[in-house]
C-alpha cells in the first residue's frame, strides 16, 4: 500500500542525501519525494510517498526517526488530506490542432504557459489521478517533454504537522 | 578570548574530558596537530590510520568512554572508514576528526580531497563538516553527545584547513539543542508490566543477551534477573562478559558457533527474553526456525531494532539497564524447575570439546591462556576461527573484557584494538588472539606497541590458512582451497625486528611455558603457535539452517 509521509527536517546541508541514502540502503521504495522549506527557514518539509506493507512502513518510520536531522514524521495516509502535484507538459502540436488541445486544457483547468511555432507547454495541478489523466489525454498529440514535482500534501481541518521548539519525534513514550 | 579553530578544538576536547587521542598527522591536519603539540592530551601515533580508528574503538570498548581518533584529509580520512564502519556495526561510542582541504578548495578535486562526510554517511550515527569556525565548539559538543547517548555510535567531524586556522572567539556553546534527537528514555510502564507477566507465566524461559547489556552497564541487573527467576542465559559474541561465563545459569554463546546446549535451549524455550540484541543472522540461523515455540520479549534502546528481523510479542523500548530494573520490581523469585534440569542435562551431554592428536590444538592454547591469566585478562581478537575459539574456550566473567569485531567482522581489528585497550587499562594484562591472516592486516602496529612500551601479548594461532574460509571451502566447496593457503614470514623474527619479544611454539608442551614467559616480561610479545592446520570450529550451524541442526 502507498503511504504519504510528511517529514520535517532541519534545513542542514546533506539532509536530502541522508534521507535518500537511507531509503536506497535499506531497500525502501520511494514513489515520490518533494522537498522545500517551511515558514521557518531552518526547517524543511519533505513529502515522501512510499510503497510497502505495515511492517515496512514501521521500519521506514523508525529508521527515519534515527536520523538526527529528522524532527518529526507524520504518516497522514489515514487522515483526510489535500494532495497536489504540478506538471509541466510540452506537446508538439500542429497549429490546426491547437484548439483541440486547448479544449482538453480547459477540461483539466490547465493553463498554457508557452506557445511555440510547433509546441504548446501546459501547466496543470491536481492530485495524482488528475495529473495522470491529463498526461494520458495529451499522449496522442506527442509529448516532447514532461516534468512532475512529486506530490505535496497537507492534512485537512485542525490537524497539522508543524514544528514548534517543543515538538518531539512521535516515539510515543519519549516525552518523560 | 580569541583562539584559532584548532585551539578551539583542543578546548572543546578538554571540555569533553578527552585525554587520549589515536591519530596520524598530514597536510590538512597540520593546524590541528600544531595546537595539539601544546596540550597535555596523550596522542598515540599509530602506523596506519586504520590502526588509529580501531585503537580508539578498543579504548572505548574497554573503558566505556568515547574513543577519539584523528587523521588528515583524503587518504587519511578514507583509511579511517573501515574502523568507523566497525564501530558503527557494534554501536561503539567514537568521535573521528578529519582534516579537510580549505573551504575554497572544496569540490574542486583538490590534492588530498575526499568527500568524507559523503563517504561515511551510511556508517556513522551522524557526521558534520564544520564550515564556520564559530560553529566548531557547538559541533564538537553535539558530536560527543550523539556518540555517547542512546544507542552509541561513531560520529565524524570534518574540519577544513582554513577553519582550523581562522581565529575566532571561544565560548562555551551552552546546552546541546537538537530537536530531532531525543535519546535514552525510560520504558513505558505498560510495556514493562506485560513483559514481567510473560516472564512470570513462562515455563521454559531463556535470556538471549547481547552487546546492549555491556554498553548500558546492565550486567548486575541481568545477573539479578537471571538468578531471581533461575533463567538460563545465552550470550551473543558481543554479549560475552555481560553475564559471567562460569555462572551455573550460563549456557555460553548461541548461534552459528554457539554451544549445543545454548542453541537447544533457544529452540525449545517458550519465552525468549532478548536483551540488548538485534537478531543478527549469525545468531538466528534460519529465521523461521529460531525459537519457534517461543513468545518474544525484546528489550532495546533502539526502537528500530524491535520488530526489524523477528515478530516481537512484548516490546520494551528503553535503556536496557533501566528496563531490567523496572521489570525486576514486578518479579518474585522462582524455584528450580524441570527446565533447569533439562538444560543441565544438555550441558553434561553436549560439552564443547576437541580431539588431541599430538599437535598444538588452537583450543588448547586458548584454555592455557585462560588458566594462566585466571580469566582476568582483557582479550582482543581478530576475525576468524581463532576469534570463535577465543569466544568458546576463554571464560569471560566481567563486561568489557572481550574486545572483538562482531557486526562488521573486520580482520586486522584485534591488534590495534588491543593497543587502545592497553592504553585504557595500563595495569591489566591485554591479549590479542590472532590468526596468521588477520595479524598481517595491521602488523605495522608492532612499531606502535614498541614505541609506547605497551606490553600487549599477541597469540597467533598460526595454521597457515585463512582458516575460517578454508573451513567453509572444506565443508561446502568440496575442499577446493582457493587462495586460502598462506606462506607466512617468521612472526617471531618480525616481532624482534620491530623491537618486541618473539617466541615460536611448535609442540604442545611448549605452550604453557611460552605463555608464562610472555606474562613475565613487561614488554610486547608475539607468540607464534604453529597449530594443527585443518582444525575446524565446531559446533557449527551450516548457513541457512536452523540453529539446532549443528555439525560436530
Amino acid at each position: 500500500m502507498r503511504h504519504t509521509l510528511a517529514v520535517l527536517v532541519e534545513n542542514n546541508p546533506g539532509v536530502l542525501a541522508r534521507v535518500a541514502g537511507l531509503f536506497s540502503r535499506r531497500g525502501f521504495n520511494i514513489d515520490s519525494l518533494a522537498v522545500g522549506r517551511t515558514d521557518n527557514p531552518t526547517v524543511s518539509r519533505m513529502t515522501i510517498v512510499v510503497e510497502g506493507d505495515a511492517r515496512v512502513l514501521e521500519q521506514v518510520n523508525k529508521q527515519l526517526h534515527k536520523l538526527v536531522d529528522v524532527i518529526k514524521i507524520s504518516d497522514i495516509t489515514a487522515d483526510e488530506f489535500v494532495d497536489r502535484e504540478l506538471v509541466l507538459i510540452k506537446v508538439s502540436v500542429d497549429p490546426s490542432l491547437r484548439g483541440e488541445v486547448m479544449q482538453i486544457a480547459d477540461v483539466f483547468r490547465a493553463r498554457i504557459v508557452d506557445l511555440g511555432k510547433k509546441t504548446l507547454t501546459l501547466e496543470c495541478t491536481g492530485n495524482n489521478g488528475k495529473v495522470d489523466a491529463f498526461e494520458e489525454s495529451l499522449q496522442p498529440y506527442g509529448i516532447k517533454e514532461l516534468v512532475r514535482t512529486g506530490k505535496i500534501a497537507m492534512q485537512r481541518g485542525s490537524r497539522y504537522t508543524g514544528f514548534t521548539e517543543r515538538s518531539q519525534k512521535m516515539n510515543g513514550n519519549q516525552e518523560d | 578570548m580569541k583562539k584559532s579553530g584548532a585551539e578551539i578544538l583542543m578546548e572543546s576536547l578538554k571540555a569533553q574530558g578527552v585525554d587520549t587521542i589515536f591519530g596520524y598527522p598530514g597536510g590538512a591536519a597540520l593546524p590541528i596537530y600544531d595546537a595539539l603539540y601544546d596540550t597535555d592530551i596523550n596522542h598515540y601515533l599509530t602506523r596506519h590510520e586504520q590502526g588509529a580508528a580501531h585503537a580508539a574503538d578498543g579504548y572505548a570498548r574497554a573503558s566505556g568512554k568515547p574513543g577519539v581518533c584523528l587523521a588528515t584529509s583524503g587518504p587519511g580520512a578514507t583509511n579511517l572508514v573501515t574502523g568507523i564502519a566497525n564501530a558503527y556495526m557494534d554501536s561503539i561510542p567514537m568521535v573521528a576528526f578529519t582534516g579537510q582541504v580549505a573551504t575554497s578548495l572544496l569540490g574542486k578535486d583538490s590534492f588530498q580531497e575526499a568527500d568524507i562526510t559523503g563517504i561515511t554517511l551510511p556508517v556513522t550515527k551522524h557526521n558534520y563538516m564544520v564550515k564556520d569556525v564559530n560553529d566548531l565548539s557547538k559541533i564538537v559538543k553535539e558530536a560527543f553527545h550523539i556518540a555517547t547517548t542512546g544507542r552509541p555510535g561513531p560520529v565524524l567531524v570534518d574540519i577544513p584547513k582554513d577553519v582550523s586556522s581562522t581565529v575566532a572567539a571561544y565560548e562555551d556553546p551552552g546546552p546541546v539543542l537538537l530537536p530531532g534527537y531525543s535519546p535514552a528514555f525510560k520504558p513505558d510502564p505498560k510495556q514493562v508490566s506485560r513483559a514481567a507477566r510473560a516472564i512470570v507465566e513462562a515455563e521454559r524461559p531463556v535470556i538471549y543477551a547481547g552487546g546492549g547489556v555491556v554498553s548500558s552497564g546492565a550486567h548486575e541487573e541481568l545477573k539479578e534477573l537471571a538468578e531471581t527467576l533461575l533463567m538460563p542465559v545465552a550470550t551473543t559474541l558481543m554479549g560475552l562478559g555481560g553475564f559471567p561465563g562460569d555462572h551455573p545459569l550460563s549456557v555460553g554463546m548461541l548461534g552459528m558457533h554457539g554451544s549445543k546446549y545454548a542453541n537447544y535451549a533457544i529452540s525449545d524455550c517458550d519465552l525468549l527474553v532478548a536483551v540488548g540484541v538485534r537478531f543478527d543472522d549469525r545468531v538466528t540461523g534460519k529465521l523461521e526456525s529460531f525459537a519457534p515455540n517461543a513468545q518474544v520479549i525484546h528489550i532495546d534502546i533502539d526502537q528500530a531494532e524491535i520488530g526489524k528481523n523477528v515478530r516481537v510479542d512484548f516490546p520494551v523500548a528503553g535503556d536496557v539497564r533501566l528496563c531490567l530494573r523496572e521489570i525486576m520490581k514486578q518479579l518474585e523469585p522462582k524455584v528450580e524447575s524441570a527446565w533447569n534440569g533439562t538444560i543441565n542435562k544438555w550441558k553434561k551431554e553436549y560439552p564443547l570439546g576437541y580431539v588431541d592428536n599430538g599437535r598444538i590444538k588452537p583450543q588448547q592454547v586458548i584454555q592455557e591462556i585462560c588458566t594462566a591469566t585466571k580469566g582476568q585478562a582483557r582479550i582482543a581478537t581478530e576475525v576468524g576461527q581463532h576469534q570463535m575459539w577465543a569466544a568458546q574456550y576463554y571464560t569471560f566473567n566481567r563486561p568489557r573484557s572481550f574486545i572483538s569485531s562482531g557486526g562488521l567482522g573486520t580482520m586486522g581489528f584485534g591488534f590495534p584494538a588491543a593497543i587502545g585497550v592497553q592504553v585504557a587499562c595500563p595495569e591489566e594484562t591485554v591479549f590479542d588472539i590472532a590468526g596468521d591472516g588477520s595479524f598481517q592486516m595491521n602488523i605495522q602496529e608492532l612499531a606502535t606497541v614498541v614505541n609506547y612500551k605497551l606490553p600487549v601479548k599477541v597469540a597467533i594461532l598460526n595454521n597457515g590458512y585463512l582458516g575460517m574460509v578454508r573451513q567453509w571451502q572444506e565443508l561446502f566447496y568440496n575442499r577446493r582451497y582457493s587462495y586460502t593457503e598462506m606462506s607466512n614470514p617468521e612472526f617471531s623474527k618480525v616481532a624482534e625486528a620491530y623491537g618486541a619479544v618473539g617466541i615460536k611454539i611448535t609442540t604442545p608442551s611448549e605452550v604453557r611455558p611460552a605463555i608464562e614467559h610472555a606474562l613475565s616480561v613487561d614488554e610486547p610479545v608475539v607468540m607464534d603457535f604453529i597449530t594443527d592446520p585443518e582444525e575446524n570450529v565446531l559446533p557449527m550451524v551450516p548457513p541457512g539452517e536452523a540453529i539446532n541442526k549443528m555439525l560436530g
Side-chain angles (χ1 to χ4, degrees):
Chain A
M1 173 180 170
R2 273 201 188 132
H3 286 254
T4 303
L5 307 180
V7 183
L8 294 180
V9 299
E10 299 228 40
N11 196 4
N12 288 339
V15 63
L16 182 60
R18 286 181 204 279
V19 172
L22 171 68
F23 275 78
S24 75
R25 190 158 74 240
R26 297 209 177 254
F28 303 143
N29 288 320
I30 298 187
D31 250 37
S32 83
L33 189 158
V35 57
R37 70 160 188 81
T38 63
D39 53 318
N40 178 343
T42 67
V43 177
S44 291
R45 176 163 168 146
M46 295 183 180
T47 306
I48 305 175
V49 181
V50 55
E51 177 87 43
D53 59 21
R55 218 173 142 169
V56 169
L57 255 292
E58 186 187 329
Q59 268 297 304
V60 169
N61 223 323
K62 287 174 165 180
Q63 296 292 350
L64 274 175
H65 272 304
K66 285 171 69 171
L67 297 180
V68 173
D69 285 337
V70 171
I71 300 165
K72 190 171 182 181
I73 305 164
S74 308
D75 186 344
I76 63 173
T77 315
D79 300 340
E80 286 282 309
F81 64 86
V82 188
D83 62 317
R84 287 291 178 271
E85 191 175 7
L86 185 142
V87 64
L88 291 174
I89 303 181
K90 187 179 285 178
V91 279
S92 63
V93 192
D94 190 86
S96 64
L97 291 172
R98 265 187 201 159
E100 264 182 50
V101 171
M102 286 160 87
Q103 273 182 351
I104 292 172
D106 265 353
V107 172
F108 285 93
R109 291 189 195 141
R111 296 200 308 143
I112 290 152
V113 290
D114 183 59
L115 191 64
K117 274 185 190 152
K118 288 182 184 162
T119 61
L120 207 56
T121 305
L122 301 106
E123 167 201 315
C124 178
T125 60
N127 62 20
N128 294 119
K130 178 181 165 188
V131 171
D132 286 348
F134 183 57
E135 179 186 335
E136 209 173 296
S137 44
L138 291 178
Q139 206 67 262
Y141 299 94
I143 295 177
K144 287 283 172 205
E145 195 178 354
L146 181 148
V147 55
R148 295 172 73 147
T149 57
K151 169 162 119 176
I152 57 169
M154 189 178 271
Q155 286 139 300
R156 289 182 189 272
S158 54
R159 303 194 62 165
Y160 63 94
T161 302
F163 172 70
T164 60
E165 289 303 322
R166 307 192 60 192
S167 72
Q168 292 280 314
K169 293 186 179 183
M170 54 176 214
N171 276 3
N173 61 354
Q174 284 204 355
E175 308 297 322
D176 50 1
Chain B
M1 195 189 152
K2 296 265 181 188
K3 287 179 181 297
S4 74
E7 287 165 346
I8 292 173
L9 174 63
M10 295 307 136
E11 290 297 327
S12 307
L13 290 174
K14 274 188 245 166
Q16 293 299 320
V18 173
D19 57 11
T20 304
I21 292 179
F22 303 90
Y24 203 102
L30 274 166
I32 299 174
Y33 269 87
D34 193 57
L36 184 62
Y37 203 47
D38 289 330
T39 69
D40 45 16
I41 294 173
N42 296 308
H43 175 276
Y44 290 86
L45 175 71
T46 55
R47 273 18 179 208
H48 189 293
E49 289 91 348
Q50 187 187 354
H54 290 324
D57 179 324
Y59 177 89
R61 287 180 203 238
S63 67
K65 294 191 282 187
V68 179
C69 57
L70 170 61
T72 190
S73 64
T78 55
N79 277 343
L80 291 179
V81 172
T82 302
I84 293 170
N86 188 75
Y88 183 69
M89 290 291 273
D90 287 346
S91 309
I92 303 303
M94 178 163 125
V95 182
F97 292 94
T98 47
Q100 179 58 280
V101 300
T103 47
S104 58
L105 293 171
L106 281 171
K108 302 208 160 57
D109 307 312
S110 312
F111 178 64
Q112 293 197 329
E113 180 186 3
D115 172 15
I116 198 62
T117 47
I119 289 169
T120 58
L121 200 134
V123 295
T124 48
K125 189 172 168 187
H126 195 56
N127 63 22
Y128 294 90
M129 181 192 277
V130 187
K131 287 204 169 156
D132 181 346
V133 67
N134 295 303
D135 294 335
L136 184 56
S137 62
K138 179 172 97 57
I139 286 175
V140 173
K141 191 166 187 179
E142 286 178 8
F144 278 87
H145 178 68
I146 292 169
T148 54
T149 52
R151 179 179 179 172
V155 177
L156 178 131
V157 181
D158 196 25
I159 307 175
K161 197 173 181 180
D162 54 329
V163 171
S164 51
S165 319
T166 304
V167 172
Y170 171 71
E171 287 167 15
D172 184 87
V176 171
L177 277 177
L178 292 165
Y181 183 71
S182 40
F185 43 93
K186 278 196 221 154
D188 173 39
K190 282 193 216 106
Q191 292 189 335
V192 167
S193 304
R194 285 188 212 116
R197 194 175 328 125
I199 292 173
V200 171
E201 287 168 2
E203 287 175 10
R204 301 186 310 279
V206 176
I207 295 173
Y208 151 35
V213 171
V214 176
S215 62
S216 76
H219 47 281
E220 291 295 341
E221 285 78 3
L222 178 68
K223 194 163 156 228
E224 194 189 343
L225 175 69
E227 287 176 347
T228 310
L229 278 291
L230 296 178
M231 287 193 277
V233 179
T235 60
T236 66
L237 186 79
M238 292 298 297
L240 287 174
F243 188 76
D246 63 1
H247 196 286
L249 288 167
S250 168
V251 290
M253 187 170 74
L254 79 163
M256 183 172 272
H257 293 295
S259 66
K260 284 196 173 178
Y261 37 93
N263 286 353
Y264 288 157
I266 298 282
S267 301
D268 252 39
C269 70
D270 67 349
L271 178 72
L272 186 67
V273 186
V275 188
V277 296
R278 56 186 180 86
F279 293 84
D280 177 71
D281 56 278
R282 283 296 189 271
V283 164
T284 62
K286 190 178 173 187
L287 260 184
E288 307 83 75
S289 313
F290 184 70
N293 310 312
Q295 291 200 295
V296 177
I297 296 175
H298 192 180
I299 305 170
D300 203 274
I301 195 160
D302 183 356
Q303 297 238 13
E305 288 302 340
I306 298 175
K308 185 182 81 177
N309 291 348
V310 299
R311 164 195 57 75
V312 172
D313 304 280
F314 306 102
V316 186
D319 177 73
V320 164
R321 191 165 170 210
L322 295 178
C323 292
L324 290 183
R325 278 191 190 165
E326 292 302 314
I327 291 172
M328 268 308 296
K329 286 182 191 163
Q330 306 191 16
L331 299 175
E332 300 288 329
K334 273 196 180 177
V335 294
E336 204 150 290
S337 66
W339 177 235
N340 296 107
T342 308
I343 302 275
N344 290 333
K345 185 173 73 93
W346 284 334
K347 280 171 95 165
K348 283 202 192 77
E349 266 173 51
Y350 306 105
L352 283 172
Y354 56 92
V355 184
D356 266 322
N357 62 355
R359 310 188 73 138
I360 298 177
K361 287 287 175 178
Q363 301 94 329
Q364 175 210 347
V365 177
I366 308 286
Q367 284 175 324
E368 299 272 17
I369 292 173
C370 189
T371 313
T373 58
K374 303 183 180 65
Q376 292 299 310
R378 305 256 183 181
I379 306 289
T381 76
E382 311 286 342
V383 168
Q385 286 185 315
H386 67 274
Q387 177 192 30
M388 291 300 122
W389 285 317
Q392 291 176 333
Y393 288 92
Y394 197 95
T395 308
F396 297 96
N397 287 328
R398 56 179 181 144
R400 305 191 179 280
S401 59
F402 182 62
I403 312 291
S404 196
S405 167
L408 196 65
T410 311
M411 289 173 69
F413 167 77
F415 187 36
I419 291 174
V421 176
Q422 189 74 76
V423 169
C425 313
E427 303 304 320
E428 297 190 38
T429 302
V430 178
F431 269 80
D432 171 35
I433 292 175
D436 44 312
S438 286
F439 185 56
Q440 290 181 84
M441 284 209 181
N442 271 316
I443 196 167
Q444 77 286 347
E445 301 305 334
L446 276 168
T448 312
V449 290
V450 171
N451 189 163
Y452 294 102
K453 301 188 171 54
L454 298 168
V456 172
K457 317 299 179 196
V458 180
I460 305 172
L461 305 181
N462 184 348
N463 54 14
Y465 283 110
L466 295 173
M468 188 58 94
V469 184
R470 186 209 56 74
Q471 176 171 339
W472 282 55
Q473 288 172 334
E474 176 188 333
L475 298 173
F476 312 117
Y477 290 86
N478 205 20
R479 286 183 171 266
R480 287 158 52 85
Y481 293 166
S482 179
Y483 302 104
T484 41
E485 199 173 347
M486 295 198 116
S487 73
N488 292 316
E490 278 295 344
F491 288 112
S492 57
K493 288 186 182 163
V494 173
E496 282 167 8
Y498 272 101
V501 177
I503 314 171
K504 184 174 183 176
I505 304 99
T506 53
T507 61
S509 62
E510 296 171 298
V511 170
R512 187 61 192 262
I515 296 166
E516 297 287 359
H517 177 64
L519 289 171
S520 72
V521 297
D522 191 27
E523 284 175 81
V525 180
V526 174
M527 290 161 274
D528 182 17
F529 296 97
I530 308 301
T531 62
D532 194 351
E534 297 198 30
E535 184 71 12
N536 285 337
V537 179
L538 295 170
M540 178 183 191
V541 179
E545 263 298 355
I547 61 166
N548 59 351
K549 302 270 190 304
M550 284 163 285
L551 308 173

